Amino acid sequence: MQGKTFFIDMTKCTACRGCQVSCKQWKNLPAVKTKNWGSHQNPPSLTPVTFKLVRFNEVNKDGKIRWNFMPEQCRHCVEPSCKLIMNMYVPNSVEHDAKTGAVLYTDKTATIDLEPWEMCPYNVPRRDEKTGVWSKCNMCIDRVQNGMKPACVTSCAMGVMQFGDREEMLAIAYERLAEVRKKHKDAFIADPDDVRVLFLGIGDPADYYEYLSADTAGL
Ligand code: SF4
Ligand code: SF4
């Protein structure tokens, strides 16, 4: 299945959080009350009403400080382990849209009593404490099925995010990787064969987020 894919060039991200806000706006999701926990990353992690979160990491490399910003979300995996596991517990609780490749949760997930990392290698899904229903990014499937791009993609003034047919996005991502590698030999794309959200970054993937480190591949 070709389907759709995001390309997220983290080397261009300024952490303005426009994508995080536009996700909330389009989905009419409430804000989450937080307190200062010593980081601009707010809320501290994904929540049942926060499907897009800009992660902030301060990295000290040889005495030089670099900010790593990662607009985190569900990767819409090519072979989603969450779907495999949740559907073992409750059949048809997770759907996989044939045309786009979007991984879609239903309210049938409410009875599944697992930890996020037991279902997802990227620790993405979150469970509503009251209803029990699991949630995450759904690729703005309502927009995409009507020929529009996901809300987060349209909000980014820095050109960090692109969205389109998978082959086209892979080609753009590898072209950009080759360009970035002229200056940064350690540039990478995380898990390109496995996911529909291609994250391009520099250095150790775990310096962006510990769950970005798995099976990272490059050219
Ligand atoms: S809107 Fe773009 S620049 Fe701003 S945080 Fe999101 S990805 Fe980064
Ligand atoms: S990133 Fe996690 S939640 Fe998203 S499709 Fe993959 S396994 Fe499922």
Side-chain angles (χ1 to χ4, degrees):
M1 184 215 307
Q2 152 130 299
K4 300 293 183 185
T5 287
F6 296 76
F7 170 46
I8 301 186
D9 183 353
M10 299 187 291
T11 68
K12 294 181 177 175
C13 181
T14 59
C16 72
R17 285 189 283 220
C19 51
Q20 191 173 320
V21 171
S22 71
C23 175
K24 290 238 177 210
Q25 280 180 330
W26 181 255
K27 296 185 177 302
N28 204 18
L29 293 168
V32 178
K33 192 164 186 180
T34 61
K35 54 187 175 186
N36 188 339
W37 62 292
S39 168
H40 291 292
Q41 185 177 307
N42 188 23
S45 192
L46 295 167
T47 79
V49 292
T50 309
F51 303 161
K52 183 100 183 176
L53 173 76
V54 181
R55 296 190 176 278
F56 287 60
N57 277 295
E58 191 178 312
V59 182
N60 187 338
K61 287 284 178 206
D62 306 322
K64 284 189 185 162
I65 301 293
R66 188 175 74 217
W67 278 101
N68 281 356
F69 303 129
M70 178 187 180
E72 152 99 309
Q73 62 170 92
C74 167
R75 317 297 199 272
H76 296 281
C77 298
V78 175
E79 300 288 344
S81 58
C82 63
K83 179 191 165 209
L84 188 73
I85 294 168
M86 288 171 130
N87 283 357
M88 266 179 359
Y89 280 83
V90 181
N92 304 316
S93 57
V94 176
E95 297 165 359
H96 204 176
D97 183 58
K99 197 165 173 196
T100 60
V103 178
L104 307 170
Y105 287 6
T106 72
D107 288 353
K108 292 182 194 165
T109 59
T111 57
I112 298 170
D113 195 10
L114 292 169
E115 298 294 342
W117 55 88
E118 292 178 300
M119 303 182 280
C120 168
Y122 305 109
N123 191 29
V124 164
R126 293 293 184 270
R127 193 178 193 194
D128 186 293
E129 281 181 12
K130 287 189 185 135
T131 64
V133 173
W134 289 87
S135 60
K136 61 165 194 66
C137 159
N138 72 350
M139 202 191 267
C140 282
I141 190 74
D142 49 345
R143 294 173 62 97
V144 174
Q145 285 177 337
N146 284 287
M148 300 163 75
K149 294 186 178 180
C152 60
V153 175
T154 61
S155 75
C156 181
M158 300 307 294
V160 171
M161 282 181 285
Q162 298 186 55
F163 179 85
D165 292 338
R166 179 166 179 78
E167 293 304 321
E168 183 192 358
M169 288 301 113
L170 280 165
I172 290 171
Y174 280 120
E175 191 180 332
R176 174 66 181 155
L177 179 64
E179 192 184 331
V180 176
R181 278 194 169 166
K182 286 178 190 164
K183 195 170 169 196
H184 302 280
K185 299 276 178 244
D186 53 356
F188 65 87
I189 298 173
D191 303 341
D193 297 333
D194 301 332
V195 295
R196 292 184 182 278
V197 182
L198 307 169
F199 283 106
L200 190 157
I202 297 167
D204 183 349
D207 283 343
Y208 286 84
Y209 180 42
E210 60 182 303
Y211 285 94
L212 195 65
S213 58
D215 299 328
T216 296
L219 274 179

